[in-house]
Amino acid sequence: MDRNIVTTSRRGLLRSGIGVALAAPFLGLGVGSLARAQGAGGLKPLRFASNASAICLAPVFVAQDHGIFEKHGLEVEIVNFGASTEALLEAIATGKADGGVGMALRWLKALEQGFDVKITAGTHGGCSRLVALQSTGIKELTDLKGKTIGVTDLAAPGKNFFSILLHQAGIDPETDVKWRAFSTDVLEIAAERGEIDAIADGDPRAYFWLNDTPDKYVQIASNLDHGFENRVCCIAGLSGSLVRNDPETARALTRALLEAQDWTVARPEDAAKAFLPQAPKNRSVEDLIAVLKDQTHDHTPTGADLKTEIAQYAEELRAINVFRRSTDPQQFAERVYADVLTA
């Protein structure tokens, strides 16, 4: 099936209890009505850490705008940490926030080092791209040997992911290429000046570079090709203390996030409208829908499926010397994943 065709999965219907296909009756209800619909009693207050500039977070805003959190008994305050993923993850690990969504290849190294965050679900695939100006003549990963790749920082998830792909293509990501860090708004300028030969960055910026100027850029690879078509890139992480001390709330929050993913698949226009205030200037709802449809928001693994994907990433990160050689991928996956849905 074409991944750009949005459908509602059976697993989404099962895990959410109502599912997107049955969500229509709630579209006209306000927050108060939704809260009453699930029964008497107050809502559980939670703080959710967010990087508001990442379109991957659009389903979180859907959950807030369309009462999905409230339907699951939660009153969620979304706290924007800007582009500081480290601050976001530290907030979850220290209990200053109860949960968040972030990129697996940014978070997993921190979790290997002992951050007290438990992964409870995958949220989608896609959003990292490796692009180059067509004038460079670079078209394949093997063309990058001896070249310089620009990233937003030297621990960026794009650097980690494309290092994995380079390694698999027979290129040493530590010695055969150079990595240079530039601020987000300088990356494209650096490419045009010839200071870098390619850019590893995320959506929505990378998507718009390719689609706004199709005669200027070429996509070399993404995290939806080279065997990663069915791999999650973003994950939901909850505070370890929340998972241990309040499993019922951890379950409710995870179910709400997964239902928001299903809603985004069925109603991408809602997700685009929810994200629009955070989007780059002069972007339309239709622009954002196109980005969301280019990602796989219907790929939301949990349980054994997610543990398998985490272990695969751990093995790949170990191969490129990001993880310690002594780390056992299977044991790591068992340690950082928490099954809050069936516990």
Side-chain angles (χ1 to χ4, degrees):
M1 180 182 67
D2 190 315
R3 63 185 173 88
N4 288 335
I5 299 175
V6 290
T7 60
T8 301
S9 65
R10 180 176 179 270
R11 68 172 180 266
L13 292 172
L14 290 173
R15 69 179 176 226
S16 68
I18 182 168
V20 175
L22 303 180
F26 288 90
L27 288 173
L29 296 180
V31 168
S33 298
L34 285 164
R36 289 192 296 274
Q38 87 153 33
L43 301 176
K44 176 78 174 183
L46 293 176
R47 302 184 85 220
F48 196 88
S50 165
N51 173 358
S53 64
I55 197 168
C56 309
L57 272 291
V60 176
F61 298 113
V62 167
Q64 186 178 56
D65 289 358
H66 292 277
I68 296 174
F69 287 134
E70 289 85 351
K71 184 167 78 73
H72 287 271
L74 308 174
E75 181 181 4
V76 175
E77 175 192 3
I78 298 177
V79 182
N80 180 19
F81 282 82
S84 178
T85 305
E86 289 77 10
L88 184 155
L89 189 57
E90 184 178 359
I92 302 171
T94 58
K96 296 176 182 177
D98 298 288
V101 171
M103 296 192 72
L105 289 178
R106 171 76 79 172
W107 284 19
L108 292 182
K109 178 59 181 178
L111 299 190
E112 185 204 29
Q113 294 172 320
F115 272 55
D116 189 21
V117 174
K118 296 298 182 182
I119 301 169
T120 62
T123 57
H124 78 96
C127 74
S128 289
R129 303 175 193 271
L130 183 62
V131 305
L133 292 171
Q134 291 192 20
S135 59
T136 65
I138 298 171
K139 297 180 180 179
E140 306 288 342
L141 290 166
T142 51
D143 296 334
L144 288 166
K145 189 170 185 177
K147 304 297 185 181
T148 300
I149 303 171
V151 290
T152 54
D153 67 88
L154 296 180
K159 179 179 183 294
N160 286 336
F161 179 75
F162 294 112
S163 290
I164 290 171
L165 287 194
L166 288 167
H167 173 77
Q168 293 178 349
I171 297 173
D172 190 323
E174 296 181 279
T175 61
D176 289 341
V177 300
K178 294 181 181 179
W179 302 89
R180 290 191 63 185
F182 293 88
S183 62
T184 299
D185 55 349
V186 175
L187 274 172
E188 192 173 12
I189 297 172
E192 292 172 348
R193 290 178 175 175
E195 297 177 36
I196 53 178
D197 302 292
I199 304 172
D201 202 11
D203 291 341
R205 288 185 303 274
Y207 177 91
F208 290 139
W209 289 338
L210 288 164
N211 287 273
D212 288 351
T213 52
D215 296 329
K216 184 177 180 181
Y217 283 99
V218 61
Q219 179 169 292
I220 304 165
S222 80
N223 57 354
L224 282 179
D225 51 43
H226 291 78
F228 288 80
E229 291 82 358
N230 295 306
R231 186 82 68 89
V232 73
C233 74
C234 286
I235 51 179
L238 307 187
S239 164
S241 61
L242 179 69
V243 171
R244 290 187 295 272
N245 301 329
D246 193 353
E248 184 176 351
T249 297
R251 185 178 306 114
L253 179 54
T254 301
R255 284 177 173 166
L257 293 171
L258 290 171
E259 186 171 334
Q261 289 296 138
D262 287 339
W263 190 301
T264 296
V265 173
R267 297 283 298 273
E269 64 275 15
D270 288 346
K273 290 174 183 176
F275 182 72
L276 188 61
Q278 322 297 334
K281 293 180 179 179
N282 303 318
R283 289 298 170 183
S284 68
V285 168
E286 289 71 25
D287 290 337
L288 301 179
I289 290 173
V291 180
L292 290 166
K293 285 187 174 183
D294 203 56
Q295 301 170 350
T296 56
H297 286 272
D298 59 344
H299 183 62
T300 52
T302 59
D305 291 341
L306 181 53
K307 282 193 288 186
T308 295
E309 295 191 27
I310 294 170
Q312 289 173 325
Y313 275 135
E315 179 67 39
E316 291 151 356
L317 290 170
R318 189 173 66 171
I320 61 170
N321 299 316
V322 172
F323 266 29
R324 296 185 295 266
R325 291 288 179 177
S326 60
T327 296
D328 181 279
Q330 297 297 333
Q331 292 178 4
F332 171 77
E334 290 287 345
R335 176 171 65 83
V336 302
Y337 174 72
D339 184 0
V340 299
L341 297 177
T342 60

